Structure formats: structure tokens, C-alpha cells
Amino acid sequence: YDNDSQAILSSCVFAPAFEWTGEALQTGVRCMSVPLCENAICPGEFVSMGDCDDTHGNQAFAVRQTLFGAALLQSKMDESKCLTACR
């Protein structure tokens, strides 16, 4: 992630080691987060890295497998939303 806490694709030499904690993708004290609007996930928002504090559920994810064997990272706060690189 960069100084703005946005997840970015960069050289593996500088990439932090991530740990899957069972519900969160974490590196040090930072966890992947989805921004909130009121008490819901903001539509169309990008994930970022924030302080690990899942009080609102926006840092909880599940790994789901599709019928074709692909893995999806699904929001546990809104199970209709998955991490994607497409729109």
C-alpha cells in the first residue's frame, strides 16, 4: 500500500507481507478496509489499508470459491460485494 493507504500493485521487493487472519487481510497493524457511508459500504469505493479495528465490520472478509474453482474475497458486511478488478 502507498502513503494514502491505498492498495496498489508495485514491485515485490517493496511489498509488505500480508497475513490472512481468518477474516482480515493484515500487514502489521494495518488491515484491508472498505470505506463506510453511514453504516453501509460506500458503493464503488476502493479498498484501502486502515488501522485494524473491525468495530463496524468493514474489515471482515471471507474467501469463497466459485463453481469453477476461482477464489473470491467477499465482504462479510455486505455478502453481495466481492473484491474485483473490473467494473
Side-chain angles (χ1 to χ4, degrees):
Y1 60 92
D2 64 10
N3 290 336
D4 294 326
S5 295
Q6 295 179 340
I8 59 171
L9 190 62
S10 67
S11 171
C12 293
V13 174
F14 303 109
F18 286 93
E19 175 186 358
W20 176 249
T21 66
E23 282 197 341
L25 195 57
Q26 181 175 346
T27 179
V29 297
R30 310 285 280 172
C31 289
M32 189 170 69
S33 301
V34 180
L36 295 177
C37 293
E38 303 279 326
N39 291 323
I41 293 174
C42 299
E45 285 293 329
F46 293 97
V47 296
S48 61
M49 299 301 293
D51 292 335
C52 294
D53 175 11
D54 196 34
T55 303
H56 303 289
N58 60 320
Q59 294 179 343
F61 296 88
V63 178
R64 300 284 184 237
Q65 192 169 16
T66 68
L67 295 174
F68 303 105
L72 299 174
L73 196 57
Q74 178 187 46
S75 168
K76 288 185 116 179
M77 184 174 193
D78 181 347
E79 293 182 353
S80 71
K81 303 284 191 287
C82 290
L83 186 64
T84 182
C86 345
R87 287 189 176 234

Coordinates of all heavy atoms in Angstrom, one line a residue:
Y1 N 0.8 -1.2 0.0 CA 0.0 0.0 0.0 C 0.9 1.2 0.0 O 2.0 1.2 0.4 CB -1.0 0.0 1.2 CG -0.4 -0.1 2.5 CD1 -0.1 1.1 3.2 CD2 0.0 -1.3 3.1 CE1 0.5 1.1 4.5 CE2 0.5 -1.3 4.4 CZ 0.8 -0.2 5.1 OH 1.3 -0.2 6.3
D2 N 0.3 2.4 -0.4 CA 1.1 3.6 -0.5 C 0.8 4.5 0.7 O 0.1 4.2 1.6 CB 0.8 4.3 -1.9 CG -0.6 4.8 -2.0 OD1 -1.4 4.7 -1.0 OD2 -1.0 5.2 -3.1
N3 N 1.4 5.7 0.6 CA 1.2 6.7 1.7 C -0.2 7.1 2.0 O -0.6 7.6 3.0 CB 2.1 7.9 1.5 CG 3.5 7.6 1.6 OD1 3.9 6.7 2.3 ND2 4.4 8.4 0.9
D4 N -1.1 7.0 0.9 CA -2.5 7.3 1.1 C -3.3 6.1 1.6 O -4.5 6.1 1.6 CB -3.1 7.8 -0.2 CG -2.5 9.1 -0.7 OD1 -2.2 9.9 0.2 OD2 -2.3 9.3 -1.9
S5 N -2.6 5.0 1.9 CA -3.2 3.8 2.4 C -4.0 3.1 1.4 O -4.9 2.3 1.7 CB -4.0 4.0 3.7 OG -3.2 4.4 4.7
Q6 N -3.8 3.3 0.1 CA -4.5 2.6 -1.0 C -3.7 1.4 -1.4 O -2.4 1.4 -1.4 CB -4.7 3.5 -2.2 CG -5.6 4.7 -1.9 CD -5.7 5.6 -3.1 OE1 -4.9 5.6 -4.0 NE2 -6.8 6.4 -3.1
A7 N -4.4 0.3 -1.6 CA -3.7 -0.9 -2.1 C -3.3 -0.7 -3.5 O -4.1 -0.2 -4.4 CB -4.7 -2.1 -2.0
I8 N -2.0 -0.9 -3.8 CA -1.5 -0.7 -5.2 C -0.7 -1.9 -5.6 O -0.2 -2.7 -4.8 CB -0.7 0.6 -5.3 CG1 0.5 0.5 -4.3 CG2 -1.5 1.8 -5.0 CD1 1.5 1.6 -4.5
L9 N -0.5 -2.0 -6.9 CA 0.4 -3.0 -7.5 C 1.8 -2.4 -7.6 O 1.9 -1.4 -8.3 CB -0.2 -3.5 -8.8 CG 0.5 -4.8 -9.4 CD1 0.3 -6.0 -8.5 CD2 -0.1 -5.0 -10.8
S10 N 2.8 -3.0 -7.0 CA 4.2 -2.5 -7.1 C 5.2 -3.6 -7.1 O 4.8 -4.8 -7.0 CB 4.4 -1.4 -6.0 OG 4.4 -2.1 -4.8
S11 N 6.4 -3.3 -7.1 CA 7.5 -4.2 -7.0 C 7.4 -5.2 -5.8 O 7.1 -4.7 -4.7 CB 8.8 -3.5 -7.0 OG 9.9 -4.5 -6.8
C12 N 7.6 -6.4 -6.0 CA 7.5 -7.4 -4.9 C 8.6 -7.1 -3.9 O 8.5 -7.5 -2.7 CB 7.7 -8.8 -5.5 SG 6.2 -9.3 -6.4
V13 N 9.7 -6.5 -4.3 CA 10.8 -6.2 -3.4 C 10.3 -5.3 -2.3 O 10.8 -5.4 -1.1 CB 12.0 -5.5 -4.2 CG1 13.1 -5.0 -3.2 CG2 12.5 -6.4 -5.2
F14 N 9.4 -4.4 -2.6 CA 8.9 -3.4 -1.6 C 7.6 -3.8 -1.0 O 7.1 -3.1 -0.1 CB 8.8 -2.0 -2.2 CG 10.1 -1.6 -2.8 CD1 10.3 -1.5 -4.2 CD2 11.2 -1.2 -2.0 CE1 11.5 -1.0 -4.7 CE2 12.4 -0.8 -2.5 CZ 12.5 -0.7 -3.9
A15 N 7.0 -4.9 -1.4 CA 5.7 -5.3 -0.9 C 5.7 -5.8 0.5 O 6.6 -6.5 0.9 CB 5.1 -6.3 -1.8
P16 N 4.7 -5.3 1.3 CA 4.7 -5.8 2.7 C 4.1 -7.3 2.7 O 3.4 -7.7 1.8 CB 3.7 -4.9 3.4 CG 2.8 -4.4 2.3 CD 3.7 -4.4 1.0
A17 N 4.5 -8.0 3.7 CA 4.0 -9.4 3.9 C 2.6 -9.3 4.5 O 2.4 -8.6 5.5 CB 4.9 -10.2 4.8
F18 N 1.6 -9.9 3.8 CA 0.3 -9.9 4.3 C 0.0 -11.2 5.1 O 0.5 -12.2 4.7 CB -0.8 -9.7 3.2 CG -0.8 -8.3 2.6 CD1 -0.1 -8.0 1.5 CD2 -1.7 -7.4 3.2 CE1 -0.1 -6.7 1.0 CE2 -1.7 -6.1 2.7 CZ -1.0 -5.8 1.6
E19 N -0.9 -11.1 6.1 CA -1.3 -12.3 6.8 C -2.8 -12.4 6.7 O -3.5 -11.4 6.9 CB -0.9 -12.2 8.3 CG -1.4 -13.3 9.1 CD -1.0 -13.1 10.6 OE1 -0.4 -12.0 11.0 OE2 -1.4 -13.9 11.4
W20 N -3.3 -13.6 6.4 CA -4.8 -13.8 6.4 C -5.1 -14.3 7.8 O -4.6 -15.3 8.3 CB -5.1 -14.9 5.4 CG -6.6 -15.2 5.4 CD1 -7.1 -16.4 5.8 CD2 -7.7 -14.4 5.1 NE1 -8.5 -16.3 5.7 CE2 -8.9 -15.1 5.3 CE3 -7.8 -13.1 4.6 CZ2 -10.1 -14.6 5.0 CZ3 -9.0 -12.6 4.3 CH2 -10.2 -13.3 4.6
T21 N -5.9 -13.5 8.6 CA -6.2 -13.8 10.0 C -7.5 -14.7 10.1 O -7.9 -14.9 11.2 CB -6.3 -12.6 10.8 OG1 -7.5 -11.8 10.3 CG2 -5.1 -11.7 10.7
G22 N -8.1 -15.1 9.0 CA -9.4 -15.8 9.1 C -10.5 -14.9 8.7 O -11.5 -15.4 8.2
E23 N -10.4 -13.6 8.9 CA -11.4 -12.7 8.4 C -10.8 -11.4 7.8 O -11.5 -10.7 7.2 CB -12.3 -12.3 9.6 CG -13.4 -13.3 9.9 CD -14.5 -12.7 10.8 OE1 -14.3 -11.6 11.4 OE2 -15.5 -13.3 10.8
A24 N -9.5 -11.2 8.1 CA -8.9 -9.9 7.7 C -7.6 -10.2 6.9 O -6.9 -11.2 7.2 CB -8.6 -9.0 8.9
L25 N -7.3 -9.3 6.0 CA -6.0 -9.3 5.3 C -5.2 -8.2 6.0 O -5.5 -7.0 6.0 CB -6.2 -9.0 3.9 CG -5.0 -9.3 2.9 CD1 -4.6 -10.7 3.0 CD2 -5.4 -9.0 1.5
Q26 N -4.1 -8.6 6.7 CA -3.4 -7.7 7.6 C -1.9 -7.7 7.3 O -1.3 -8.6 6.9 CB -3.6 -8.2 9.1 CG -3.0 -7.4 10.1 CD -3.3 -7.9 11.5 OE1 -4.2 -8.7 11.7 NE2 -2.6 -7.4 12.5
T27 N -1.3 -6.5 7.5 CA 0.1 -6.3 7.5 C 0.5 -5.4 8.6 O 0.0 -4.3 8.7 CB 0.6 -5.8 6.1 OG1 2.0 -5.6 6.2 CG2 0.0 -4.5 5.7
G28 N 1.2 -5.9 9.6 CA 1.5 -5.2 10.8 C 0.2 -4.8 11.5 O -0.6 -5.7 11.8
V29 N 0.0 -3.5 11.7 CA -1.2 -3.1 12.4 C -2.2 -2.5 11.5 O -3.2 -1.9 11.9 CB -0.9 -2.0 13.5 CG1 0.0 -2.6 14.6 CG2 -0.2 -0.8 12.9
R30 N -2.0 -2.7 10.2 CA -2.9 -2.2 9.1 C -3.7 -3.4 8.5 O -3.2 -4.4 8.3 CB -2.2 -1.5 8.0 CG -1.2 -0.4 8.5 CD -1.8 0.8 8.9 NE -2.1 1.6 7.8 CZ -2.8 2.7 7.9 NH1 -3.3 3.2 9.0 NH2 -3.1 3.4 6.8
C31 N -5.0 -3.1 8.3 CA -5.9 -4.1 7.7 C -6.6 -3.6 6.5 O -6.9 -2.4 6.5 CB -6.9 -4.6 8.7 SG -6.3 -5.6 10.1
M32 N -6.9 -4.4 5.5 CA -7.6 -4.0 4.4 C -9.0 -3.6 4.8 O -9.7 -4.3 5.6 CB -7.7 -5.1 3.3 CG -8.3 -4.6 2.0 SD -8.2 -5.8 0.7 CE -9.3 -7.1 1.3
S33 N -9.5 -2.4 4.4 CA -10.8 -1.9 4.8 C -11.5 -1.4 3.6 O -11.0 -1.0 2.6 CB -10.5 -0.6 5.8 OG -9.8 -1.0 6.9
V34 N -12.9 -1.4 3.8 CA -13.7 -0.8 2.8 C -14.4 0.4 3.4 O -14.9 0.4 4.5 CB -14.8 -1.8 2.4 CG1 -15.8 -1.2 1.3 CG2 -14.2 -3.1 1.8
P35 N -14.3 1.6 2.8 CA -14.9 2.8 3.3 C -16.4 2.7 3.6 O -17.1 2.0 2.8 CB -14.6 3.9 2.3 CG -13.5 3.3 1.5 CD -13.6 1.9 1.5
L36 N -16.8 3.3 4.6 CA -18.2 3.3 5.0 C -18.9 4.6 4.7 O -18.3 5.7 4.9 CB -18.4 3.0 6.5 CG -17.9 1.7 7.0 CD1 -18.1 1.6 8.5 CD2 -18.7 0.6 6.3
C37 N -20.2 4.6 4.3 CA -21.1 5.7 4.2 C -22.2 5.4 5.2 O -23.0 4.5 5.0 CB -21.6 5.8 2.8 SG -20.4 6.2 1.5
E38 N -22.2 6.2 6.3 CA -23.1 6.0 7.4 C -22.8 4.6 7.9 O -21.6 4.4 8.4 CB -24.6 6.0 6.9 CG -25.0 7.3 6.3 CD -25.4 8.4 7.3 OE1 -25.9 8.1 8.3 OE2 -25.1 9.6 6.9
N39 N -23.6 3.6 7.9 CA -23.4 2.3 8.4 C -23.3 1.2 7.4 O -23.5 0.0 7.6 CB -24.4 1.9 9.5 CG -24.2 2.7 10.7 OD1 -23.1 3.0 11.1 ND2 -25.4 3.1 11.3
A40 N -23.1 1.6 6.1 CA -23.1 0.7 5.0 C -21.8 0.9 4.2 O -21.2 2.0 4.2 CB -24.3 0.9 4.1
I41 N -21.4 -0.1 3.4 CA -20.3 0.1 2.5 C -20.6 1.1 1.4 O -21.7 1.1 0.8 CB -20.0 -1.3 1.8 CG1 -19.4 -2.2 2.9 CG2 -19.0 -1.1 0.7 CD1 -19.2 -3.6 2.4
C42 N -19.7 2.0 1.2 CA -19.9 3.0 0.1 C -19.9 2.4 -1.2 O -18.9 1.6 -1.5 CB -18.8 4.1 0.2 SG -18.7 5.0 1.7
P43 N -20.9 2.6 -2.1 CA -20.9 1.9 -3.4 C -19.7 2.4 -4.3 O -19.4 3.6 -4.3 CB -22.2 2.3 -4.0 CG -22.7 3.4 -3.2 CD -22.0 3.4 -1.9
G44 N -19.1 1.5 -4.9 CA -18.0 1.8 -5.9 C -16.7 2.3 -5.2 O -15.8 2.7 -5.9
E45 N -16.5 2.1 -3.9 CA -15.3 2.6 -3.3 C -14.2 1.6 -3.4 O -14.4 0.4 -3.6 CB -15.6 2.8 -1.8 CG -16.3 4.1 -1.5 CD -15.6 5.3 -1.8 OE1 -14.3 5.4 -1.7 OE2 -16.2 6.3 -2.2
F46 N -13.0 2.1 -3.4 CA -11.8 1.3 -3.4 C -11.4 0.8 -2.0 O -11.7 1.5 -1.0 CB -10.6 2.0 -4.0 CG -10.8 2.4 -5.4 CD1 -11.3 3.7 -5.8 CD2 -10.5 1.5 -6.4 CE1 -11.4 4.0 -7.1 CE2 -10.7 1.8 -7.8 CZ -11.1 3.1 -8.1
V47 N -10.8 -0.4 -1.9 CA -10.3 -0.8 -0.6 C -9.1 0.0 -0.3 O -8.4 0.5 -1.1 CB -10.0 -2.3 -0.6 CG1 -11.3 -3.1 -0.8 CG2 -8.9 -2.7 -1.6
S48 N -8.8 0.1 1.0 CA -7.6 0.8 1.5 C -7.1 0.0 2.7 O -7.7 -0.9 3.1 CB -8.0 2.3 1.9 OG -8.9 2.3 2.9
M49 N -6.0 0.5 3.2 CA -5.4 -0.1 4.4 C -5.6 0.9 5.6 O -5.2 2.0 5.5 CB -3.9 -0.4 4.2 CG -3.6 -1.3 3.1 SD -4.3 -2.9 3.3 CE -3.4 -3.6 4.7
G50 N -6.3 0.4 6.6 CA -6.5 1.2 7.8 C -6.1 0.5 9.0 O -5.7 -0.6 9.0
D51 N -6.1 1.3 10.1 CA -5.8 0.6 11.4 C -6.7 -0.5 11.7 O -7.9 -0.4 11.4 CB -5.9 1.7 12.5 CG -4.8 2.8 12.5 OD1 -3.8 2.5 11.9 OD2 -5.1 3.9 13.0
C52 N -6.2 -1.6 12.1 CA -7.0 -2.8 12.4 C -8.0 -2.5 13.5 O -7.6 -2.4 14.7 CB -6.1 -4.0 12.7 SG -5.1 -4.6 11.3
D53 N -9.2 -2.3 13.2 CA -10.3 -2.1 14.2 C -11.6 -2.4 13.4 O -12.1 -1.6 12.7 CB -10.3 -0.7 14.7 CG -11.4 -0.3 15.6 OD1 -12.2 -1.3 16.0 OD2 -11.7 0.8 15.9
D54 N -12.1 -3.6 13.6 CA -13.3 -4.0 12.8 C -14.6 -3.8 13.6 O -15.5 -4.6 13.5 CB -13.1 -5.5 12.4 CG -14.1 -5.8 11.3 OD1 -14.4 -5.0 10.5 OD2 -14.6 -7.0 11.3
T55 N -14.7 -2.7 14.3 CA -15.9 -2.4 15.1 C -17.1 -2.4 14.2 O -18.2 -2.8 14.6 CB -15.7 -1.0 15.7 OG1 -14.5 -1.0 16.5 CG2 -16.9 -0.6 16.6
H56 N -17.0 -1.9 13.0 CA -18.1 -1.7 12.1 C -18.3 -2.9 11.1 O -19.2 -2.9 10.3 CB -18.0 -0.4 11.3 CG -18.0 0.8 12.2 ND1 -19.0 1.2 13.0 CD2 -16.9 1.6 12.5 CE1 -18.6 2.2 13.7 NE2 -17.4 2.5 13.5
G57 N -17.3 -3.8 11.0 CA -17.4 -5.0 10.1 C -16.9 -4.7 8.7 O -17.0 -5.6 7.9
N58 N -16.3 -3.5 8.5 CA -15.8 -3.2 7.2 C -14.4 -3.8 6.9 O -13.9 -3.5 5.8 CB -15.9 -1.7 6.9 CG -15.0 -0.9 7.9 OD1 -15.0 -1.2 9.1 ND2 -14.3 0.1 7.4
Q59 N -13.9 -4.5 7.8 CA -12.6 -5.2 7.6 C -12.7 -6.7 7.5 O -11.7 -7.4 7.4 CB -11.6 -4.7 8.6 CG -11.2 -3.3 8.6 CD -10.3 -2.8 9.7 OE1 -10.0 -3.5 10.7 NE2 -9.7 -1.7 9.5
A60 N -13.9 -7.2 7.7 CA -14.1 -8.7 7.7 C -14.4 -9.2 6.3 O -15.3 -8.7 5.6 CB -15.2 -9.0 8.7
F61 N -13.7 -10.2 5.9 CA -13.9 -10.8 4.6 C -13.9 -12.3 4.7 O -13.4 -12.9 5.7 CB -12.7 -10.4 3.6 CG -12.7 -8.9 3.3 CD1 -12.0 -8.0 4.1 CD2 -13.4 -8.4 2.2 CE1 -12.0 -6.7 3.9 CE2 -13.3 -7.0 2.0 CZ -12.6 -6.2 2.8
A62 N -14.4 -12.9 3.7 CA -14.4 -14.4 3.6 C -13.9 -14.8 2.3 O -14.1 -14.1 1.3 CB -15.8 -15.0 3.8
V63 N -13.2 -15.9 2.2 CA -12.7 -16.4 0.9 C -13.8 -17.4 0.5 O -14.1 -18.4 1.2 CB -11.3 -17.1 1.1 CG1 -10.9 -17.7 -0.3 CG2 -10.3 -16.1 1.6
R64 N -14.3 -17.2 -0.7 CA -15.4 -18.0 -1.3 C -14.8 -18.6 -2.6 O -14.1 -18.0 -3.3 CB -16.6 -17.2 -1.6 CG -17.2 -16.6 -0.4 CD -18.0 -17.6 0.5 NE -18.6 -17.0 1.6 CZ -18.4 -17.3 2.9 NH1 -17.6 -18.2 3.2 NH2 -19.1 -16.6 3.8
Q65 N -15.3 -19.8 -2.9 CA -14.9 -20.5 -4.1 C -16.1 -20.5 -5.1 O -17.2 -20.8 -4.6 CB -14.4 -21.9 -3.8 CG -13.7 -22.5 -5.0 CD -13.0 -23.8 -4.5 OE1 -13.2 -24.4 -3.5 NE2 -12.1 -24.3 -5.4
T66 N -15.8 -20.2 -6.3 CA -16.8 -20.2 -7.3 C -17.0 -21.7 -7.8 O -16.2 -22.6 -7.5 CB -16.5 -19.4 -8.6 OG1 -15.4 -20.0 -9.2 CG2 -16.2 -17.9 -8.2
L67 N -18.1 -21.9 -8.6 CA -18.3 -23.2 -9.1 C -17.2 -23.7 -10.0 O -17.0 -24.9 -10.2 CB -19.6 -23.2 -10.0 CG -20.9 -23.0 -9.2 CD1 -22.1 -22.9 -10.1 CD2 -21.1 -24.1 -8.2
F68 N -16.4 -22.8 -10.6 CA -15.3 -23.1 -11.5 C -14.0 -23.2 -10.7 O -12.9 -23.3 -11.4 CB -15.2 -22.1 -12.6 CG -16.5 -22.1 -13.4 CD1 -17.4 -21.0 -13.2 CD2 -16.9 -23.1 -14.2 CE1 -18.6 -21.0 -13.9 CE2 -18.1 -23.1 -14.9 CZ -19.0 -22.0 -14.8
G69 N -14.0 -23.0 -9.4 CA -12.7 -23.2 -8.6 C -12.0 -21.9 -8.4 O -10.9 -21.9 -7.7
A70 N -12.5 -20.8 -8.9 CA -11.8 -19.5 -8.6 C -12.1 -19.0 -7.2 O -13.1 -19.3 -6.6 CB -12.2 -18.4 -9.6
A71 N -11.2 -18.3 -6.6 CA -11.4 -17.8 -5.3 C -11.8 -16.3 -5.3 O -11.4 -15.5 -6.1 CB -10.1 -17.8 -4.5
L72 N -12.8 -16.0 -4.5 CA -13.3 -14.6 -4.4 C -13.1 -14.1 -2.9 O -13.2 -14.9 -2.0 CB -14.8 -14.6 -4.6 CG -15.3 -15.0 -6.0 CD1 -16.8 -15.0 -6.1 CD2 -14.7 -14.1 -7.1
L73 N -12.8 -12.9 -2.8 CA -12.7 -12.3 -1.5 C -14.0 -11.5 -1.3 O -14.2 -10.5 -1.9 CB -11.5 -11.3 -1.4 CG -11.1 -10.9 0.1 CD1 -10.8 -12.2 0.9 CD2 -9.8 -10.1 0.0
Q74 N -14.9 -12.0 -0.4 CA -16.2 -11.5 -0.2 C -16.3 -10.7 1.1 O -15.8 -11.1 2.1 CB -17.2 -12.6 -0.2 CG -18.6 -12.3 0.1 CD -19.5 -13.5 0.2 OE1 -19.1 -14.4 0.9 NE2 -20.6 -13.5 -0.4
S75 N -17.0 -9.5 1.0 CA -17.2 -8.7 2.2 C -18.2 -9.5 3.1 O -19.2 -9.9 2.7 CB -17.8 -7.4 1.8 OG -18.3 -6.7 3.0
K76 N -17.9 -9.6 4.4 CA -18.8 -10.2 5.3 C -19.8 -9.2 5.8 O -20.9 -9.6 6.3 CB -18.0 -10.8 6.5 CG -17.2 -12.0 6.2 CD -16.6 -12.6 7.4 CE -17.2 -14.0 7.6 NZ -16.6 -14.6 8.8
M77 N -19.6 -7.9 5.6 CA -20.5 -6.9 5.9 C -21.7 -6.8 4.9 O -22.8 -6.6 5.3 CB -19.9 -5.5 6.0 CG -20.8 -4.4 6.5 SD -19.8 -2.9 6.7 CE -21.0 -1.9 7.6
D78 N -21.3 -7.0 3.7 CA -22.3 -7.0 2.6 C -21.9 -8.1 1.7 O -21.1 -8.0 0.8 CB -22.3 -5.7 1.8 CG -23.3 -5.6 0.7 OD1 -23.9 -6.6 0.3 OD2 -23.6 -4.5 0.2
E79 N -22.6 -9.3 1.9 CA -22.2 -10.5 1.2 C -22.5 -10.5 -0.4 O -22.0 -11.4 -1.1 CB -22.8 -11.7 1.8 CG -22.2 -12.0 3.2 CD -22.8 -13.2 3.9 OE1 -23.7 -13.8 3.3 OE2 -22.3 -13.5 4.9
S80 N -23.1 -9.4 -0.8 CA -23.3 -9.3 -2.3 C -22.1 -8.6 -2.9 O -22.1 -8.4 -4.1 CB -24.6 -8.5 -2.6 OG -24.4 -7.1 -2.2
K81 N -21.1 -8.2 -2.1 CA -20.0 -7.5 -2.7 C -18.7 -8.3 -2.5 O -18.4 -8.9 -1.5 CB -19.7 -6.1 -1.9 CG -20.9 -5.2 -1.9 CD -21.1 -4.5 -3.2 CE -22.1 -3.4 -3.2 NZ -23.4 -3.8 -3.2
C82 N -17.9 -8.4 -3.6 CA -16.6 -9.1 -3.6 C -15.6 -8.1 -4.2 O -15.9 -7.2 -5.0 CB -16.7 -10.3 -4.5 SG -17.7 -11.6 -3.8
L83 N -14.3 -8.3 -3.7 CA -13.2 -7.6 -4.3 C -13.0 -7.9 -5.7 O -13.0 -9.1 -6.1 CB -11.9 -7.9 -3.5 CG -10.7 -7.1 -3.8 CD1 -10.9 -5.6 -3.5 CD2 -9.5 -7.6 -3.1
T84 N -12.9 -6.9 -6.6 CA -12.8 -7.2 -8.0 C -11.9 -6.1 -8.7 O -11.6 -5.1 -8.1 CB -14.2 -7.1 -8.7 OG1 -14.0 -7.4 -10.1 CG2 -14.9 -5.8 -8.6
A85 N -11.4 -6.5 -9.8 CA -10.6 -5.5 -10.6 C -11.4 -5.0 -11.8 O -10.8 -4.3 -12.6 CB -9.3 -6.2 -11.0
C86 N -12.6 -5.3 -11.9 CA -13.4 -4.9 -13.0 C -14.6 -4.1 -12.5 O -14.9 -4.1 -11.3 CB -14.0 -6.0 -13.8 SG -13.3 -7.6 -13.6
R87 N -15.3 -3.4 -13.4 CA -16.5 -2.6 -13.0 C -17.6 -3.1 -13.8 O -17.6 -3.7 -14.8 CB -16.3 -1.1 -13.4 CG -15.4 -0.5 -12.4 CD -15.4 1.0 -12.6 NE -14.6 1.6 -11.7 CZ -15.0 2.6 -10.9 NH1 -16.2 3.1 -11.0 NH2 -14.2 3.1 -10.0

